[in-house]
Amino acid sequence: MQTATVAAPKTGTDLLQTRQHFEILDGLRGIAAIVVVIFHFMEIVYSDYSKNFAGHGFLAVDFFFCLSGFVIAYAYDGRIEKMGLVEFAKSRLIRLHPLVLLGSVLGLLTFFFDPFAAVAPAYSFGKVVLILLTSILLIPYPVMPDRYFNLFGLNAPAWSLFWEYVANLVYAAILWRLDKKVLLVIAVVAGAWLAYVGFRAGNVMGGWGKDSFWDGAARISYSFTAGMLIYRYNIAIRNKLGFIGLSILLLAALLMPWFKLNWLAEVLVVIFYFPLLVALGVGSKLSSRTQGICSFSGKISYPLYMTHYAVMWAFANYFHQYKPDTATLAWVISISTIVLIGIAYIAMVLYDVPLRKYLTAKRKLNK
């Protein structure tokens, strides 16, 4: 999940040749992060995704990957040769890893202090230490059967950050050097791979667990490359949809119903619809009325994504223990989502932003 930052877009092909902050894309990322939270609540309630109104919320990750490819190419294509792989890696670690650490610690706390189930006694001290270390270092370690062998048992969404790191490193080592026509070929091959994954699995939600590990590679390979191509081909579709209009279009994909050929619908959304939304987001104008919403939405998106899962396993134990009715669940999920947004904001203000500022200042002093 990246931050793309800008003022009002300019006209024509000049748009992607200026250093801007694409606030609408930031705002859309926040909308997607909130849907992910709701999706994670709802998938605990409904194991049958066809009955889950947010059953396609997981596609937000593919939207994140596409945004990331665009933002990385936009921000670094013109300067990565000069800065080098090491400095690039440092900049990405400072941007992403503080919340990886916080998400792991929060996950550890709820692992030990789940009010609805005693989970920790089933694990030895040494195993818990190893689970924590691999989570902090972002090394996949799917060894928790009671957590469906997630790659990261303490903070499940970290699986996408693992692939984000992989994509960033491949970009810094190889992709930035490639001609856009070569990138287009890579995207076509990756798209075919993604289609095969969707056909084989019946969906494109894999990548989070040990049995679907390589599905994550297919998802990041296509969407990250597609995002890069939006920048490389200078695709900015001018429109007047604004943040509200584009949010509706994004929600239409994330909240769409399940179809008979569900896997195909998901593949088409990822391959064509999300890159189109990014291009529309680049070419749309931000109104003063929605600027504050966009700004807040973008700022809390990554903190929300990386901290919310700490409560999900506790919610799952609460749900299975008490079996609350629909009305109660509606209240619990709604209030919990608002609280999680508040926690994300606090994490951003008191932890993430200050730590990143400190690390950035220290990095400059050591140059």
Side-chain angles (χ1 to χ4, degrees):
M1 298 177 65
Q2 309 300 325
T3 300
T5 278
V6 206
K10 295 188 177 182
T11 59
T13 57
D14 291 337
L15 177 60
L16 296 182
Q17 307 308 316
T18 57
R19 296 297 96 186
Q20 305 182 56
H21 186 114
F22 295 103
E23 290 176 308
I24 287 182
L25 294 183
D26 282 350
L28 294 178
R29 192 176 62 251
I31 296 297
I34 293 171
V35 174
V36 167
V37 173
I38 296 171
F39 164 75
H40 283 148
F41 276 119
M42 294 302 295
E43 71 171 344
I44 292 169
V45 177
Y46 295 104
S47 57
D48 181 353
Y49 289 88
S50 66
K51 297 179 180 179
N52 180 351
F53 80 93
H56 284 107
F58 64 87
L59 290 174
V61 173
D62 302 275
F63 183 67
F64 294 150
F65 286 158
C66 189
L67 277 178
S68 178
F70 169 76
V71 173
I72 290 295
Y74 180 81
Y76 291 101
D77 264 11
R79 59 193 181 103
I80 187 154
E81 183 174 15
K82 183 178 180 180
M83 72 187 302
L85 177 60
V86 173
E87 288 303 314
F88 174 81
K90 287 180 181 179
S91 69
R92 303 316 298 145
L93 282 169
I94 290 173
R95 176 65 186 94
L96 299 174
H97 217 73
L99 285 167
V100 172
L101 300 179
L102 181 60
S104 299
V105 171
L106 292 176
L108 183 68
L109 290 175
T110 55
F111 174 75
F112 277 115
F113 304 109
D114 187 331
F116 305 106
V119 181
Y123 294 83
S124 67
F125 175 78
K127 194 165 190 177
V128 172
V129 169
L130 191 55
I131 289 171
L132 176 62
L133 286 176
T134 52
S135 184
I136 287 173
L137 297 174
L138 216 59
I139 300 171
Y141 190 54
V143 295
M144 302 177 77
D146 53 316
R147 297 192 169 184
Y148 306 98
F149 294 104
N150 272 268
L151 296 186
F152 300 93
L154 295 181
N155 194 23
W159 76 267
S160 64
L161 265 293
F162 166 79
W163 286 114
E164 177 75 28
Y165 272 29
V166 170
N168 278 216
L169 290 174
V170 173
Y171 167 82
I174 301 171
L175 294 181
W176 73 270
R177 305 173 186 271
L178 300 181
D179 181 80
K180 62 185 180 182
K181 293 179 181 179
V182 177
L183 280 178
L184 183 59
V185 172
I186 292 173
V188 170
V189 173
W193 183 15
L194 182 68
Y196 167 74
V197 165
F199 174 75
R200 185 203 68 219
N203 56 64
V204 295
M205 71 167 64
W208 54 268
K210 73 171 186 177
D211 294 332
S212 65
F213 176 80
W214 290 108
D215 293 1
R219 294 174 73 179
I220 188 75
S221 295
Y222 174 76
S223 291
F224 189 89
T225 309
M228 287 186 63
L229 287 170
I230 292 169
Y231 172 70
R232 291 286 183 87
Y233 278 95
N234 204 28
I235 304 173
I237 303 174
R238 288 184 55 77
N239 63 89
K240 297 181 180 180
L241 290 167
F243 173 64
I244 300 298
L246 289 171
S247 294
I248 292 171
L249 291 180
L250 177 60
L251 289 172
L254 301 181
L255 303 181
M256 68 178 177
W258 281 58
F259 302 94
K260 186 175 182 180
L261 291 176
N262 187 70
W263 70 271
L264 182 58
E266 293 175 2
V267 167
L268 292 176
V269 165
V270 174
I271 290 180
F272 298 109
Y273 191 70
F274 284 160
L276 173 63
L277 280 184
V278 173
L280 288 169
V282 171
S284 190
K285 292 183 178 181
L286 178 65
S287 71
S288 58
R289 291 176 298 176
T290 58
Q291 187 169 12
I293 298 173
C294 265
S295 177
F296 178 80
S297 179
K299 286 177 180 178
I300 60 96
S301 60
Y302 182 47
L304 177 61
Y305 184 73
M306 288 305 292
T307 60
H308 79 276
Y309 216 86
V311 306
M312 289 300 162
W313 293 116
F315 172 77
N317 292 324
Y318 156 77
F319 174 75
H320 293 303
Q321 182 175 333
Y322 291 99
K323 296 179 173 51
D325 59 30
T326 302
T328 302
L329 280 172
W331 278 105
V332 169
I333 293 174
S334 298
I335 293 172
S336 296
T337 300
I338 294 171
V339 170
L340 286 170
I341 292 172
I343 291 172
Y345 180 77
I346 293 170
M348 176 191 72
V349 172
L350 299 183
Y351 168 77
D352 186 43
V353 171
L355 181 55
R356 285 194 288 115
K357 284 183 178 179
Y358 167 76
L359 292 174
T360 300
K362 189 172 182 180
R363 176 187 171 200
K364 289 179 180 178
L365 287 174
N366 291 335
K367 279 188 177 181

